[in-house]
Amino acid sequence: MLEKLAKQTAVYGISTILGRFLSYLLTPFYTRIFGLESYGIITDVYALIPFALVLLTLGMESGYFRFAAKAEAAGGDVQAAKRRLFATTWGITSLAALIFFVLIVIFRVPVSAAMGEAYAAHPLYVVIVAAIILFDVAACIPFSRLREQGRAMKFVSLKLFNIVMQVALAFAFWGIGLFDSEFGVGWAFVANLAASVCTWALVMTTTEGTAPRIDRVLLAAVFVYSLPLLISGIAGTANEFIDRQLIKYLVPEGAMAQLGIYGAITKIAVVMTLFTQMYRLAAEPFFLSNFRKEEFVAMNAAALKYYVMASMMIFLGIALFKELFALIVGPDFREGIFILPVILGANVLNGVWLNLSFWYKREEKTKFALVVTFAGLAFTILGGALLIPRWGYYGAAWGRFISEAAMVAVSYALNRRFFPTPYDIRRILLYVAVGLALFFASEYVVSQYTHGALRYAINVLLFAAYAAMAVRCEHIDLKAMARAVLKRR
């Protein structure tokens, strides 16, 4: 069973890595053509968009996966039941997005003023971003349907198309000088909107003639399941953007410049973010399928161990060479590279509590999601309020780390109380302890007594030592893996 999860993760992973690589070409690009404050606007907007997407999808993605599995278990005309489920969840999310867009257009001036001076000068920024959200939400459930059907290649090809088009348009707009116009960063949003519209049109071809139509009885049942996930999703996504908002409003001077630096350094943690995202894309429909409880418990326990092993390897691969990764962004942004290990650590913890969330989604006890995410939100706000006025974006990074740690602690406590899972805590803590020990050895010993190529050579050995330990502990047969790869070729 875990082999199936690994294969799905690999399919989503390769495409996601390629897509994000193309997308993250925009980070070194934008941080070299825009100043700190202008890039701060991009950071601000792209932190708010995921929040709007979570709000307007109404928790229906997880609801769709769960009720699709229920339809299969119930038997009968499964395809008709799934079509009705798809039409209902797609219909309600599209309606919510349309209402949102109309309201933003009507109230664009006061909304722009509330967001800050840069937006008040260009209310059209807000309208364009609202249009991006409209088309992305309208495409969300059709994309979820592709995941539920196991059509990973179709899913990833459409996602890649979106990214390639957006990157190509951004470079084209720069080439003809549009970024130097008065509208400035607004053209970055125009490129995104064009890509979102075209992707929406293409994903519509996969709906097989199904039209959005809301079945009120079915919607009520799905909504009862999804509402706690919606509320927790709002709180969870708030954790992802509220640190940016706290920087914007709590830093006494140069807030947008600090926001730009924070956003750029956060982008460098792309590999960790990619790993967590590709794992989520594969694991969510996988773990919400109709496994027996014994199978689910065993697979979930093993999955968390392997996730921590892999994520700590990624942590070391970036943190040991952070000065090299700093070259990704423009020179003005590199002063903030010292916060990168903290952000990476927060991303590791994010994936841990993702694993710890599957049991209550499977058991339809989604009320626990509220406890977890609101605990995280409380720590984000408290940590940010205390640390950001003193430390600026460094305080925001630690506030995010503390929030993720709190969610892991609460999730684990709930699991032990209501759904005990035999996680291999000793092995998990071993991977974390060894990874952190190697990092601190590099940071406070190697860096003090070596420089240049010698320092990086020693860091390569430290990374290799962790990888060798993981291979030995898990009895991974590298020769067999190599033979399997060569045989497939």
Side-chain angles (χ1 to χ4, degrees), residues 167-486:
V167 172
L169 285 175
F171 278 92
F173 289 167
W174 169 72
I176 60 179
L178 292 179
F179 288 131
D180 295 325
S181 67
E182 183 182 355
F183 198 56
V185 296
W187 288 106
F189 307 141
V190 172
N192 192 336
L193 175 59
S196 293
V197 171
C198 292
T199 304
W200 170 81
L202 288 173
V203 80
M204 290 303 99
T205 64
T206 69
T207 61
E208 300 173 355
T210 304
R213 177 178 293 180
I214 299 173
D215 182 319
R216 294 184 180 181
V217 175
L218 177 59
L219 177 61
V222 177
F223 199 68
V224 167
Y225 174 86
S226 300
L227 181 59
L229 295 176
L230 167 62
I231 298 172
S232 67
I234 292 171
T237 311
N239 281 334
E240 298 295 323
F241 86 87
I242 204 167
D243 51 353
R244 277 80 160 176
Q245 300 304 303
L246 291 173
I247 291 174
K248 188 164 71 171
Y249 293 111
L250 294 182
V251 172
E253 295 181 3
M256 292 304 291
Q258 288 214 27
L259 183 58
I261 294 171
Y262 183 72
I265 301 302
T266 301
K267 290 283 189 180
I268 296 177
V270 54
V271 177
M272 184 66 72
T273 307
L274 286 177
F275 178 62
T276 303
Q277 181 181 6
M278 71 187 193
Y279 178 78
R280 181 186 66 82
L281 289 172
E284 190 170 45
F286 176 83
F287 280 117
L288 294 184
S289 299
N290 284 309
F291 293 116
R292 294 195 307 272
K293 181 176 179 179
E294 296 77 11
E295 292 177 332
F296 173 86
V297 167
M299 289 186 296
N300 189 230
L304 179 59
K305 179 185 68 172
Y306 290 121
Y307 172 85
V308 172
M309 178 193 74
S311 62
M312 287 305 297
M313 187 176 296
I314 295 170
F315 170 87
L316 284 174
I318 302 174
L320 294 179
F321 306 96
K322 62 181 185 296
E323 290 81 7
L324 297 179
F325 280 93
L327 300 176
I328 294 174
V329 299
D332 293 341
F333 297 81
R334 294 171 194 167
E335 67 177 68
I337 195 62
F338 67 96
I339 71 170
L340 182 59
V342 181
I343 294 172
L344 290 170
N347 288 345
V348 172
L349 292 171
N350 180 268
V352 172
W353 77 258
L354 171 67
N355 275 277
L356 293 171
S357 73
F358 291 129
W359 73 267
Y360 58 72
K361 291 180 180 179
R362 178 188 182 274
E363 296 296 301
E364 300 186 13
K365 296 181 179 179
T366 50
K367 62 182 180 181
F368 290 128
L370 302 178
V371 179
V372 174
T373 50
F374 274 97
L377 181 58
F379 276 93
T380 296
I381 295 173
L382 180 61
L386 292 174
L387 300 177
I388 290 174
R390 297 181 181 182
W391 297 346
Y393 58 79
Y394 184 50
W398 273 110
R400 181 174 176 181
F401 181 91
I402 292 168
S403 170
E404 298 289 355
M407 287 190 283
V408 168
V410 173
S411 296
Y412 183 71
L414 289 172
N415 177 270
R416 300 309 300 165
R417 173 68 178 82
F418 297 102
F419 197 84
T421 302
Y423 297 116
D424 192 345
I425 299 300
R426 293 181 62 182
R427 185 64 58 82
I428 289 171
L429 291 178
L430 173 66
Y431 290 135
V432 173
V434 172
L436 291 178
L438 293 175
F439 168 71
F440 286 119
S442 171
E443 193 76 1
Y444 297 106
V445 179
V446 177
S447 63
Q448 297 298 318
Y449 299 102
T450 61
H451 302 282
L454 177 60
R455 178 187 173 190
Y456 291 125
I458 295 174
N459 283 347
V460 168
L461 293 177
L462 293 177
F463 179 83
Y466 178 90
M469 180 206 69
V471 168
R472 182 178 179 84
C473 287
E474 300 303 328
H475 306 290
I476 299 173
D477 190 339
L478 296 178
K479 292 182 179 180
M481 290 177 62
R483 286 196 298 269
V485 171
L486 292 173

Side-chain angles (χ1 to χ4, degrees), residues 28-245:
F29 177 58
Y30 284 153
T31 56
R32 285 169 171 80
I33 66 173
F34 293 129
L36 296 178
E37 293 188 0
S38 294
Y39 191 75
I41 295 173
I42 292 178
T43 299
D44 190 26
V45 165
Y46 284 102
L48 290 170
I49 286 177
F51 178 75
L53 294 180
V54 168
L55 179 64
L56 297 172
T57 52
L58 305 172
M60 290 290 156
E61 280 189 286
S62 293
Y64 177 78
F65 292 134
R66 185 59 185 152
F67 277 77
K70 280 188 164 187
E72 290 185 354
D77 193 342
V78 175
Q79 293 305 314
K82 286 188 175 183
R83 280 196 300 272
R84 186 166 62 254
L85 173 65
F86 171 60
T88 297
T89 52
W90 183 25
I92 192 63
T93 53
S94 298
L95 178 61
L98 182 60
I99 293 171
F100 169 81
F101 176 72
V102 171
L103 289 174
I104 291 296
V105 171
I106 294 172
F107 299 105
R108 61 189 178 278
V109 174
V111 170
S112 300
M115 291 183 65
E117 294 180 4
Y119 304 96
H122 298 284
L124 190 55
Y125 286 0
V126 174
V127 174
I128 294 172
V129 171
I132 293 170
I133 293 167
L134 168 65
F135 284 99
D136 285 355
V137 172
C140 182
I141 298 299
F143 271 118
S144 297
R145 181 170 179 262
L146 292 177
R147 290 166 60 194
E148 185 271 328
Q149 292 176 334
R151 298 168 65 184
M153 292 306 298
K154 186 69 173 180
F155 176 95
V156 298
S157 64
L158 292 177
K159 290 291 186 179
L160 281 175
F161 169 81
N162 178 285
I163 296 165
V164 169
M165 184 175 181
Q166 185 178 343
V167 172
L169 285 175
F171 278 92
F173 289 167
W174 169 72
I176 60 179
L178 292 179
F179 288 131
D180 295 325
S181 67
E182 183 182 355
F183 198 56
V185 296
W187 288 106
F189 307 141
V190 172
N192 192 336
L193 175 59
S196 293
V197 171
C198 292
T199 304
W200 170 81
L202 288 173
V203 80
M204 290 303 99
T205 64
T206 69
T207 61
E208 300 173 355
T210 304
R213 177 178 293 180
I214 299 173
D215 182 319
R216 294 184 180 181
V217 175
L218 177 59
L219 177 61
V222 177
F223 199 68
V224 167
Y225 174 86
S226 300
L227 181 59
L229 295 176
L230 167 62
I231 298 172
S232 67
I234 292 171
T237 311
N239 281 334
E240 298 295 323
F241 86 87
I242 204 167
D243 51 353
R244 277 80 160 176
Q245 300 304 303

